[in-house]
Amino acid sequence: MQMLYQLSKEHKMSAMVAYALEPVSSLLSKEWAKEWKQSKEMAVYAAMLMDAEFKRVKDFMDKEGIWYLPLKGIVNKFLYPRYGMREMSDIDILYDVSDALKVYDHMTKQGFQYKYSKAALGHYVEDIYSKEPACLFEFHTRLFDAEITDKKIAKYYDGIWGLMKKGEDTTCGYHLSAEDAYLYNIAHAYKHYKLYGMGIKCLVDAYMFNISQKLDYDYICEESAKIGIGEFEALIRSLSSKLFDGDDNFEELLSEEEKDALSYMFRSGAYGSMEHRFENRMKELDDKEGGAVSAKTKLRYLRKRLFPSVDYMKFYSPRVKKYPILLPIFYVQRICRAVYRKRKKIKNELVMLKGFHGQSKEG
């Protein structure tokens, strides 16, 4: 039970497991019955707080004439049968970034803290606002950035406006069709999968989409190929179906690729891990398929970490974008800041680099 509780917490699914355990709650010890009940109640409480704040934000944006498109958890939760079952860490909204200052003024007056300096408004992929005890908004200025995501995906979603549909009970709110909402979730999961890894909640979301919506799979296959996630979408759909359709011998149904993917997801936690990010970076730099990683590859890794590309630096720093001529100074500043603030992280990364030998083709 301890392992189940820990794993469900790591994957932000403790409320879902708590609901699943309700029919057998009499078989649990008093201590564990209390723990699971608290997990469910905390998820419901957090959902109520987020719903209230989300309504205030929608009312404000409708009043001010700022278009917005809710995404991911705040939409996906309606696929689930019980309130609070689909836990959320934040509320994602794509919005009209030309009104970033209006949103900033409103959110700060409502007691939210903006993550960056005010000068960074609209620069990053998300403008992030947080408020205690449990509310975080990510106002997306765009859905993907080509610098850290597959360029094909970023280009496709730069045209998101053509997929948006006007809401019926709102003046400025939009939504996606069930197929496009599903595809965006898969594309977002693919980004995490390739960078840091992702948890199994993505599989549950995909399954809930597929059993609760009448999806046009011809459209999904056609568009996923355009996006560049066709194979990944097929993997997620097949894996989620085999896991959750109720066959007790599901392991026998899984292909080797599906077993590897499932293991990777379980080891990732809800949001991936630095270990997976390191391994994926090394794979990108390694010239060989399998086998030991050469010292040359490790040196390339160090060079890229110390001196990222100009586009990468512009992406992560509004000042670099504004004053690119000062790039050498920004490189030095970046290194000094990392040594001062992230010594433990740097040490762990160097330990991983020293001990990393790659994998065989079978591994």
Side-chain angles (χ1 to χ4, degrees):
M1 187 59 69
Q2 176 65 43
M3 293 172 67
L4 176 63
Y5 184 76
Q6 182 179 343
L7 189 64
S8 67
K9 284 286 187 181
E10 289 174 358
H11 286 262
K12 301 294 182 184
M13 294 176 63
S14 57
M16 191 182 303
V17 177
Y19 274 117
L21 289 173
E22 281 185 342
V24 293
S25 59
S26 61
L27 302 179
L28 302 177
S29 66
K30 289 184 179 179
E31 291 77 14
W32 277 115
K34 181 180 179 181
E35 288 286 351
W36 289 112
K37 183 181 178 183
Q38 285 181 342
S39 292
K40 181 183 68 176
E41 290 175 347
M42 286 301 296
V44 169
Y45 173 64
M48 292 173 66
L49 286 179
M50 287 191 177
D51 283 347
E53 294 289 356
F54 182 50
K55 184 180 184 306
R56 280 193 280 270
V57 166
K58 288 195 300 179
D59 290 345
F60 161 75
M61 298 181 88
D62 280 332
K63 181 181 177 181
E64 293 297 321
I66 305 170
W67 67 258
Y68 60 92
L69 173 69
L71 297 161
K72 293 165 48 184
I74 198 68
V75 178
N76 296 353
K77 69 175 187 173
F78 293 106
L79 302 172
Y80 290 77
R82 304 285 291 276
Y83 189 74
M85 182 177 278
R86 204 285 186 186
E87 294 179 53
M88 296 186 299
S89 299
D90 51 48
I91 296 173
D92 295 272
I93 304 174
L94 178 68
Y95 82 120
D96 187 350
V97 69
S98 66
D99 285 311
L101 189 57
K102 279 186 182 180
V103 172
Y104 173 88
D105 289 340
H106 172 77
M107 296 300 285
T108 52
K109 285 177 183 177
Q110 294 297 316
F112 284 84
Q113 297 291 320
Y114 181 57
K115 182 177 180 179
Y116 311 107
S117 67
K118 192 174 180 180
L121 275 172
H123 173 80
Y124 297 103
V125 175
E126 308 104 354
D127 286 330
I128 301 175
Y129 297 87
S130 61
K131 181 179 180 180
E132 295 295 339
C135 199
L136 184 73
F137 276 84
E138 292 189 353
F139 286 89
H140 290 252
T141 62
R142 53 199 180 278
L143 294 183
F144 295 96
D145 197 289
E147 179 56 33
I148 60 172
T149 310
D150 187 287
K151 289 180 172 56
K152 195 172 183 180
I153 297 175
K155 183 178 180 180
Y156 181 91
Y157 281 103
D158 281 346
I160 186 68
W161 186 259
L163 303 175
M164 292 164 53
K165 302 177 183 297
K166 189 71 168 53
E168 294 180 0
D169 57 348
T170 173
T171 58
C172 296
Y174 288 80
H175 65 274
L176 298 175
S177 69
E179 289 82 5
D180 287 322
Y182 168 76
L183 283 169
Y184 170 69
N185 276 269
I186 298 296
H188 183 81
Y190 180 79
K191 179 189 78 170
H192 282 280
Y193 191 85
K194 291 296 183 181
L195 292 176
Y196 293 91
M198 67 171 199
I200 62 171
K201 188 158 62 175
C202 165
L203 294 173
V204 187
D205 277 349
Y207 183 73
M208 294 307 298
F209 263 105
N210 283 298
I211 66 169
S212 63
Q213 307 288 311
K214 292 182 179 180
L215 299 178
D216 181 344
Y217 291 109
D218 289 336
Y219 176 83
I220 286 172
C221 290
E222 182 180 342
E223 293 302 302
S224 63
K226 290 180 185 177
I227 301 169
I229 58 170
E231 292 183 5
F232 184 73
E233 187 279 322
L235 171 68
I236 294 299
R237 184 158 28 123
S238 172
L239 182 53
S240 63
S241 176
K242 290 176 182 178
L243 284 175
F244 304 128
D245 271 340
D247 193 316
D248 291 338
N249 300 315
F250 72 90
E251 279 192 87
E252 298 176 7
L253 303 175
L254 300 183
S255 67
E256 288 303 314
E257 181 186 18
E258 289 169 341
K259 289 179 182 178
D260 289 344
L262 184 59
S263 175
Y264 177 72
M265 291 178 202
F266 267 115
R267 290 183 285 110
S268 294
Y271 306 112
S273 67
M274 289 306 300
E275 288 80 6
H276 282 166
R277 181 63 179 127
F278 170 79
E279 291 173 6
N280 292 333
R281 278 172 169 158
M282 290 297 291
K283 289 175 184 176
E284 290 174 4
L285 293 173
D286 194 11
D287 295 328
K288 305 183 299 298
E289 291 187 10
V293 173
S294 67
K296 183 179 179 181
T297 298
K298 292 184 178 183
L299 286 173
R300 287 170 62 196
Y301 176 88
L302 278 175
R303 185 172 68 248
K304 190 168 184 178
R305 293 292 285 133
L306 289 170
F307 305 104
S309 69
V310 177
D311 287 340
Y312 181 95
M313 291 290 287
K314 287 180 179 178
F315 170 74
Y316 276 105
S317 173
R319 290 189 303 160
V320 176
K321 188 174 183 178
K322 189 174 182 179
Y323 306 108
I325 195 172
L326 300 179
L327 183 63
I329 296 175
F330 290 127
Y331 276 133
V332 175
Q333 184 185 59
R334 177 177 182 272
I335 294 170
C336 292
R337 184 185 291 120
V339 170
Y340 179 72
R341 296 180 180 178
K342 302 178 180 180
R343 292 181 185 178
K344 185 176 180 180
K345 182 179 176 182
I346 292 172
K347 181 181 178 181
N348 290 340
E349 194 166 348
L350 290 174
V351 169
M352 286 190 288
L353 183 64
K354 181 180 179 181
F356 188 74
H357 301 293
Q359 294 181 316
S360 66
K361 291 181 180 179
E362 290 75 22

